[in-house]
């Protein structure tokens, strides 16, 4: 006489059967998705300008915040020390630039190696400025930046720990106090201060009118203005056209403009003089970079 199979046994057998059936199914779907991603992403990257732009911008922002997290950990034993920036400089030169396929060529870098304080005036095109900025970054330098950057992920805290001075441009009294404190830093610590005198990003080429804060600071501290010019990124990067290819930036460090003996009355002339020499250099090297391989 045959033994009747127990309901429990039968249920358990069918239950395990369904599990064994679903597991390969899940595994297959995971494999399909991974294969699709590995095939589709490189294909879109090579064939779609817009996809490549957004992919590289997301990669750039993510990597910048990871580097900033590393900078935070590196800077914790000595917060607000300008030497902490060496970590960021290393990561930008050895990793981030290679990841994005951007090369930087610097001319006149010897003008930044002197240990004397100065105001570094730099043209401002986009967030991509971080690449040539940290490739050129001299020792004992702090950056004067808008307060809004404090809220940009880990970047804000990382930059602050590296010595960045944040300025509240919407509050005149606080901005004035920040500039006074920065002037004291220049005198006591012989810092170089990096400033974007246009005050905002200029995506349309050329240079915007300069704000006078950097030049008041230079005259107040009686320190030279050193103009630093980044060539146009238009050969590889254009936000309007949604284009972010591989390319090259040409950086030119211009001769220092002395401020010894100048007063507040000379600030307007100093501002215009600096902008004029930077504009001439910008137009010249932006044409030259088009011919560089």
């Amino acid at each position: 006489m045959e033994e009747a199979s127990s309901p429990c046994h039968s249920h358990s057998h069918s239950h395990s059967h369904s599990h064994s059936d679903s597991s390969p199914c899940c595994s297959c779907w995971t494999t399909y998705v991974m294969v699709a991603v590995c095939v589709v992403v490189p294909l879109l990257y090579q064939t779609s300008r817009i996809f490549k732009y957004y992919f590289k911008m997301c990669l750039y922002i993510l990597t910048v915040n990871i580097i900033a997290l590393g900078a935070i950990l590196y800077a914790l034993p000595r917060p607000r020390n300008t030497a902490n920036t060496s970590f960021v400089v290393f990561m930008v030169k050895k990793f981030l630039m290679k990841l994005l396929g951007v090369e930087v060529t610097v001319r006149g870098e010897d003008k930044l190696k002197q240990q004397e304080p100065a105001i570094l005036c730099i043209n401002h095109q986009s967030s991509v400025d971080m690449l040539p900025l940290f490739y050129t970054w001299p020792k004992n330098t702090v950056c004067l930046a808008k307060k809004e950057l404090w809220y940009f992920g880990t970047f804000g805290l990382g930059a602050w720990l590296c010595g960045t001075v944040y300025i509240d441009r919407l509050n005149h009294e606080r901005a004035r106090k920040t500039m006074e404190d920065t002037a004291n830093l220049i005198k006591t610590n012989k810092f170089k201060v990096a400033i974007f005198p246009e005050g905002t990003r200029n995506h349309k080429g050329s240079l915007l009118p300069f704000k006078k804060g950097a030049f008041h600071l230079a005259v107040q501290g009686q320190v030279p203005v050193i103009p630093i010019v980044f060539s146009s990124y238009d050969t590889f990067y254009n936000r309007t056209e949604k284009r972010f290819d591989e390319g090259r930036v040409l950086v030119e460090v211009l001769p220092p403009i002395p401020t010894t003996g100048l007063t507040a009355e000379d600030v307007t002339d100093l501002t215009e003089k600096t902008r004029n020499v930077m504009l001439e250099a910008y137009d010249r090297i932006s044409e030259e970079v088009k011919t560089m391989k």
Side-chain angles (χ1 to χ4, degrees):
M1 193 171 173
E2 291 183 12
E3 280 186 37
S5 62
S6 119
C8 264
H9 178 73
S10 172
H11 176 72
S12 161
H13 182 68
S14 89
H15 189 61
S16 69
H17 217 20
S18 73
H19 262 302
S20 64
D21 286 346
S22 66
S23 292
C25 189
C26 287
S27 177
C28 283
W29 274 109
T30 305
T31 304
Y32 291 148
V33 169
M34 287 177 66
V35 169
V37 167
C38 289
V39 171
V40 172
V41 169
L43 187 63
L44 285 173
Y45 187 85
Q46 293 296 330
T47 58
S48 170
R49 183 189 77 247
I50 294 173
F51 178 85
K52 184 176 183 179
Y53 171 83
Y54 283 111
F55 183 87
K56 286 186 82 170
M57 283 306 295
C58 289
L59 184 65
Y60 177 57
I61 292 166
L62 175 64
T63 308
V64 163
N65 277 283
I66 291 171
I67 290 173
L69 180 60
I72 290 169
L73 299 175
Y74 183 81
L76 282 177
R78 48 178 187 183
R80 304 288 290 157
N81 190 317
T82 58
N84 294 330
T85 315
S86 61
F87 174 85
V88 181
V89 169
F90 177 84
M91 292 302 293
V92 168
K93 283 184 174 181
K94 302 296 183 184
F95 179 66
L96 184 57
M97 287 175 54
K98 289 181 172 62
L99 183 68
L100 297 173
V102 177
E103 295 181 32
V104 175
T105 301
V106 184
R107 289 179 184 156
E109 199 171 9
D110 55 302
K111 300 179 185 73
L112 299 173
K113 291 182 178 176
Q114 297 176 11
Q115 298 303 310
E116 297 304 312
I119 302 298
L120 311 180
C121 283
I122 308 162
N123 59 310
H124 195 11
Q125 298 180 64
S126 79
S127 59
V128 179
D129 289 338
M130 182 174 174
L131 301 177
L133 178 66
F134 284 107
Y135 191 90
T136 315
W137 195 263
K139 292 179 180 178
N140 209 35
T141 300
V142 298
C143 188
L144 194 66
K146 58 186 179 183
K147 190 186 74 171
E148 291 83 354
L149 282 176
W150 174 259
Y151 306 104
F152 184 68
T154 55
F155 180 86
L157 177 58
W160 183 81
L161 287 169
C162 290
T164 294
V165 177
Y166 288 112
I167 185 165
D168 186 353
R169 298 177 300 177
L170 302 178
N171 187 313
H172 181 73
E173 190 56 36
R174 283 184 186 171
R176 189 182 60 78
K177 177 70 166 60
T178 301
M179 295 301 273
E180 286 178 2
D181 292 344
T182 306
N184 290 331
L185 280 176
I186 293 170
K187 290 174 184 175
T188 55
N189 298 324
K190 295 191 178 298
F191 283 161
K192 291 179 176 66
V193 181
I195 301 178
F196 297 102
E198 292 166 282
T200 189
R201 299 171 192 169
N202 179 16
H203 297 281
K204 297 179 180 178
S206 193
L207 302 183
L208 296 173
F210 283 4
K211 299 183 184 304
K212 295 179 182 176
F215 306 97
H216 277 291
L217 198 58
V219 169
Q220 190 176 345
Q222 292 288 284
V223 297
V225 172
I226 303 180
I228 301 176
V229 185
F230 301 159
S231 63
S232 170
Y233 305 154
D234 199 54
T235 54
F236 68 93
Y237 173 88
N238 187 296
R239 190 181 73 160
T240 306
E241 296 176 4
K242 299 293 181 281
R243 179 165 50 81
F244 195 167
D245 298 319
E246 294 67 48
R248 181 186 294 274
V249 182
L250 185 53
V251 178
E252 190 160 309
V253 184
L254 301 177
I257 301 172
T259 62
T260 307
L262 298 187
T263 66
E265 293 179 359
D266 301 304
V267 164
T268 299
D269 287 344
L270 177 64
T271 304
E272 285 306 307
K273 180 179 180 180
T274 305
R275 185 179 181 278
N276 288 340
V277 297
M278 289 181 69
L279 183 57
E280 183 278 326
Y282 174 82
D283 289 339
R284 175 170 45 79
I285 64 177
S286 295
E287 283 301 312
E288 186 181 345
V289 80
K290 293 176 185 177
T291 65
M292 295 177 72
K293 300 297 182 185

